[in-house]
Amino acid sequence: MAPERSTGNRIGAEDIRRRKGGVPIVCLTAYTYPVARMLDAHVDLLLVGDSVAMVLHGHATTLGASLEMMIAHGQAVMRGSTKACVVVDMPAGSYETSAAEAVASAQRIVEETGCQAVKLEGGVGVAEQIAAIVAEGIPVMGHIGLQPQSVEKDGGYKIKGRTEENIAALFRDAEAVERAGAFSVVIEGTVETVASDITRHIAIPTIGIGASGDCDGQILVIDDMIGMTVDRVPKFVKEYANLRDTISDAAARYAAEVRGHAFPGPDHVFSATSGKDKV
């Protein structure tokens, strides 16, 4: 059973729930210890997203994520975080079959990482799973709208909320997630006005990504946000840095110095006299 709030000053799921309609909730993804260390002081929530399969492991979609992969990265992020609410994605294939499967997967994630909550994709179709996980004392974040785990079924990454039928389905999903007991819900790739209306319609916080500035919080994939993404960057991303060029330039300078015998220099080698060197 996961505690609602960890020891110390750790933000818990209930703290996030209470932020509905208040100061916007700042969220970013994190997959590694050093990145978690750097982000922790600035965010309210760190999501160990199944996007790690694409961002760090080179898979074409998030379907390449496994339970073991999510746990390993969740452990790394928890080691680097002391303040943020850490949420770990439940990967495709770990919860869809039954409520019992969902509970077992969620329990394993929480027990092996110590995270504050789990996240799963879907609305009406996974309401039973959400309710079962919550009943075991594990907070759940929902995820509606564009659902990356369903990209093959949907025939690609398609923006949601452009037809009356789809809008009605989105509202049903949001209501189902809320009724099932989720403490918040991500709205991804959804028409702005629809995401805004859903935010006003439900009582739990909405976290937007490619949705609306009216959502109760925002999330981006960290590699997208800092200009590390080497493939296509989604339209909804704002790059706050350009580390692609920084890293490429550093590698080019290093290569030139190695080939030109400029590195290592005197400051980067050890002398025969002990006590003068700092490792």
Side-chain angles (χ1 to χ4, degrees), residues 209-247:
I209 178 167
S212 170
D214 290 335
C215 289
D216 298 294
Q218 300 294 326
I219 189 167
L220 286 175
V221 170
I222 182 60
D223 294 67
D224 291 345
M225 192 270 279
I226 61 175
M228 277 278 287
T229 300
V230 294
D231 297 315
R232 186 184 68 85
V233 178
K235 173 186 176 180
F236 54 75
V237 171
K238 178 176 180 179
E239 291 189 346
Y240 289 81
N242 181 2
L243 295 194
R244 284 185 298 270
D245 289 351
T246 300
I247 292 171

Side-chain angles (χ1 to χ4, degrees), residues 251-274:
R253 287 165 48 214
Y254 167 72
E257 290 192 6
V258 169
R259 291 173 182 137
H261 298 282
F263 178 85
D267 292 339
H268 307 106
V269 294
F270 301 104
S271 67
T273 304
S274 64

